[in-house]
Structure formats: C-alpha cells, structure tokens
C-alpha cells in the first residue's frame, strides 16, 4: 500500500496511458468504416463487392482483437515479472508503431500493411489489465471498484476522443489537407509524449522478480488456466457470453449505421462519440452503485438494459435515435463491466492480480475478435443478423448471471 499522494501521481500517469489505449481503439472505427464499407470507400477496395468489404471490415477489426487475446495474458503475466512500468512502455511502443504502419497502408494502398498495423496494435493493447493490476497493488481494497472505474473512465474518454480524431481530422471537407493519415500521425505524436510522461512520473508498484519468457502458446495456457479455478471458471464463461453480446453491437454498429443510412465519416463518428460518453457516464456512477447493490445485481441489470437498447436500435429507424440510445446502452455496459472486473479481482490473491486481469482482458479480446469477424460475414447476408444475435446473447448472459450462486463476500 502507498500514500495517497503517490497513488494520485500513479493514477495520473496511468490515466494518460489509458487515454492512448482508448484513442487507439476508437480512432480506427470511423476510418475503417469510411474506407471499407461506406459509399465513400477508399479506392484500394473499389474493386470489391459490398459483401466482400463487410468481410474485410470484420477481418481488419477482428485481427486486432484476436492478437489482443494472444498478447493480453502475456503482458499481464509479464507485468508481474518485469514490472508494470516496463510492460506499459511496451504497450505504448506497439501503439505508436501500429499507428505509423496503418498510415503507411493508406498512403501506399496496401491491405497487407493495414492488417500488419492492426496485428502489432493488437498484440500490445494490454495496458488496461496492467493498469487495473497496478491499482489493485496500490489502493485500499475497499476502494478498488472506485479506482478501477477511474481507470476505465480514462479509456472511455479516449474512446470519445478517438472517433473525434478519426472522424473530423480525416475529413477533407473540414480542412483540405486532412486525410486518413492525419489522425494517425497525431495519435503517434501523443503516444511518444505519453511514453516520456510515464517514464518520468510513474514509480514502479511492484518489485520485478525475473524476466519472463515470451511464448505465444503461453497466452493460450494462461487463458485455459482460468478453467482450473472453480469460481474464475464460471465467471469466465458468463463474461464470455455477455461480452460477446456487447461486442456484436460495438464493433458492428458503426458499419450498420453507415450502410443502413448512408452516413459520412463525420456523421458516423458521432455514434462512437456517444458510445464513449455513455461509457464515461456509467463509470462515474460506479461508486454510487457500489454502496447500494450487490455485484451480481449491477451486472445483470447493466447488461440487461444494454440488450434492450440494442433491440430498440433495430426496431426504431433513424441514425439520431441510434446515437441517443447508445448513451444509456454504454452507461449500463460500463456498470456491468466494472463489477465483473471487481469479481475477478476478488477471486484471487494479491500475487495473481496480473494473471486475473490478463484473463479478463484475454476474454474481452477473444470475443471481440470473434464478434468482428462473425459480424462481417453475417452482415454480408443481412444487415440485421449481427444485432439480433447480440440481443439474444445479452439476455441469455443476464439470465445465467442471475442464476449463478457464488460467494460475493470478497467482491
């Protein structure tokens, strides 16, 4: 445990790391939507049919999340071994390289570079679980949910800024020299500045033990190890179902709105902005709900409201309604997600928090990759199918969460 001043300094440093994490996730959605599936699609996909573009859109998003799945458990365990700061610097270095390669892909009209940039970005997008583990290292256990909500709030703020950068800074109708590469260059600069800030201000929260071996198979083994832990196993299955329902909505909704209503890149950025605002609002409410409700109640209610909002997005036409309904949808998701993270933390000791958060990050990344690829394939058949599946998964997950009888004394 550290004093309040050190905790505040560490939280500020982590806030900016996670701001970049959120920006890197939100930035790419309007850019990929505009270049691959909108009516303004980039010339290097002009020869593809709309169905093929949907599949390509799913692959470009899915490869990022699937590589995140492989990298998150490695980085989580690595942070337990070499220290949180070094692991976070690895994450930021990968983010910067991913931005540069993606910018080059648009300049050179190269799908290979585009996918490579997404692969590198995905492998090093592990800052959120590491930051969560750091907060667990430092803070009073009674305040974990509050501080974890603050950390995730930082990602949400980045998730608001990302679409703003991706949508507005790439629109030549706003400034003539804006292009797809402009927001990527700016994000690279911010990442490099963030590396300097982290290096100079963040004091290590744990004592490094040894240099861990980097092995891709270890990511799968770490993920599988969750199923050897009685309560983590059940929680992981429930989280997988709920997170898959959420990601079928998140990764596909931008493409869905662009194709259904013919939105421009700037108009489509508004949806992702509403996603970020809603998530930020939800995380602010976490400390209030923590004092009044059990974790299971918050989780099932949050994801249940999300399911209703996705259903309404399907039933009520108009992009403006879809933008508005994204706020309560994502606020509810933020509540449910935060308390699932709290349950993960409660199931293990202090020496395995990096492992637990790595598992949670791995689950989130795996189902996100699956959701992106599957949504792209299903959208080629019918635009509504991915969102219908999202609603079904969310309601099933909520029902199972209500039925789950677990010990919450530590949560």
């Amino acid at each position: 445990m550290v004093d309040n001043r050190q905790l505040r300094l560490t939280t500020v440093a982590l806030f900016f790391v996670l701001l970049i994490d959120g920006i890197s996730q939100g930035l790419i959605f309007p850019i990929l939507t505009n270049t691959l599936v909108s009516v303004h699609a980039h010339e290097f996909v002009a020869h593809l049919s709309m169905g093929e573009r949907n599949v390509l859109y799913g692959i470009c998003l899915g490869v990022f999340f699937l590589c995140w799945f492989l990298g998150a458990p490695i980085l989580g365990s690595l942070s337990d071994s070499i220290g949180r700061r070094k692991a976070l610097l690895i994450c930021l270095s990968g983010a910067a390289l991913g931005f540069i390669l993606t910018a080059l892909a648009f300049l050179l009209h190269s799908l290979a570079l585009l996918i490579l940039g997404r692969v590198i970005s995905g492998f090093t997008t592990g800052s959120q679980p590491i930051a969560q583990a750091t907060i667990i290292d430092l803070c009073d256990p009674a305040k974990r949910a509050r501080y974890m909500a603050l950390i995730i709030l930082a990602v949400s703020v980045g998730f608001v800024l990302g679409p703003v950068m991706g949508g507005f800074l790439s629109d030549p109708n706003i400034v003539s020299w804006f292009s797809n590469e402009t927001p990527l260059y700016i994000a690279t600069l911010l990442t490099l500045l963030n590396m300097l800030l982290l290096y100079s201000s963040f004091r290590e929260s744990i004592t490094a033990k040894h240099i861990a071996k980097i092995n891709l198979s270890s990511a799968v083994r770490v993920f599988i190890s969750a199923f050897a832990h009685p309560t983590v196993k059940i929680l992981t299955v429930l989280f997988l179902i709920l997170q898959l329902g959420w990601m079928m909505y998140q990764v596909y909704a931008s493409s869905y709105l662009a194709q259904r209503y013919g939105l421009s890149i700037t108009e489509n950025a508004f949806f992702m902005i509403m996603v970020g605002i809603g998530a930020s609002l939800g995380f602010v409410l976490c400390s209030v709900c923590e004092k009044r409700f059990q974790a299971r109640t918050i989780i099932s209610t949050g994801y249940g409201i999300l399911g209703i909002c996705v259903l309404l997005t399907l039933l009520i036409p108009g992009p403006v309604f879809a933008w508005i309904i994204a706020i309560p949808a994502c606020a509810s998701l933020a509540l449910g997600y935060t308390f699932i993270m709290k349950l993960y933390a409660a199931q293990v000791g202090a020496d395995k928090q990096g492992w637990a958060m790595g598992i949670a990050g791995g689950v989130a990344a795996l189902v996100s990759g699956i959701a992106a690829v599957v949504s792209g394939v299903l959208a080629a058949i019918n635009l509504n199918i991915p969102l219908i599946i999202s609603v079904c998964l969310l309601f099933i997950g909520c029902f199972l969460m209500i039925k789950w009888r677990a010990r919450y004394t530590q949560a």
Side-chain angles (χ1 to χ4, degrees), residues 138-159:
L138 300 176
C139 74
D140 182 343
K143 298 179 180 180
R144 281 179 181 172
R146 186 181 310 168
Y147 277 102
M148 289 170 70
L150 181 61
I151 291 299
I152 303 173
L153 175 61
V155 180
S156 301
V157 173
F159 209 76

Side-chain angles (χ1 to χ4, degrees), residues 1 6 83 209 224 306 348 352 376 383 405:
M1 201 76 63
Q6 180 59 42
K209 300 175 183 178
I224 292 174
L306 171 61
V348 299
K352 299 198 73 177
L383 285 179
R405 294 292 182 264

Side-chain angles (χ1 to χ4, degrees), residues 176-331:
S176 60
W177 52 267
F178 281 177
S179 66
N180 288 323
E181 300 85 53
T182 309
L184 295 164
Y185 295 147
I186 294 175
T188 302
L189 178 61
L190 290 174
T191 303
L192 294 176
L193 292 174
N194 194 201
M195 292 176 70
L196 292 175
L197 175 65
L198 180 71
Y199 186 81
S200 61
S201 64
F202 177 38
R203 289 172 55 186
E204 186 56 68
S205 63
I206 64 170
T207 302
K209 300 175 183 178
H210 59 275
I211 301 298
K213 294 181 179 179
I214 302 299
N215 190 331
L216 285 180
S217 64
S218 67
V220 178
R221 290 199 300 270
V222 169
F223 182 75
I224 292 174
S225 69
F227 293 89
H229 192 291
T231 55
V232 171
K233 172 179 65 176
I234 299 173
L235 183 59
T236 296
V237 172
L238 294 175
F239 182 43
L240 192 150
I241 295 170
L242 290 168
Q243 190 69 7
L244 183 57
W246 153 244
M247 292 308 299
M248 291 287 285
Y249 169 70
Q250 187 200 14
V251 304
Y252 175 65
S254 179
S255 172
Y256 171 80
L257 295 175
Q259 294 180 73
R260 184 174 180 183
Y261 302 113
L263 304 183
S264 68
I265 185 171
T266 304
E267 291 170 330
N268 218 321
F270 279 113
F271 172 76
M272 299 307 300
I273 293 170
M274 296 301 105
V275 168
I277 291 173
S280 301
L281 177 63
F283 292 128
V284 169
L285 296 174
C286 283
S287 60
V288 176
C289 294
E290 181 181 19
K291 300 173 183 177
R292 291 171 171 79
F293 306 105
Q294 287 189 335
R296 184 176 59 176
T297 302
I298 297 172
I299 294 167
S300 56
T301 301
Y303 281 96
I305 293 173
L306 171 61
I308 293 171
C309 291
V310 178
L311 181 60
L312 291 176
T313 301
L314 269 171
L315 297 178
I316 301 178
V320 175
F321 178 80
W323 296 338
I324 294 172
I325 203 69
I327 296 177
C330 297

Side-chain angles (χ1 to χ4, degrees), residues 24-36:
S24 69
Q25 294 181 50
L27 176 76
I28 201 68
F29 279 95
I31 295 176
L32 286 183
T33 299
N34 188 61
T35 56
L36 298 183

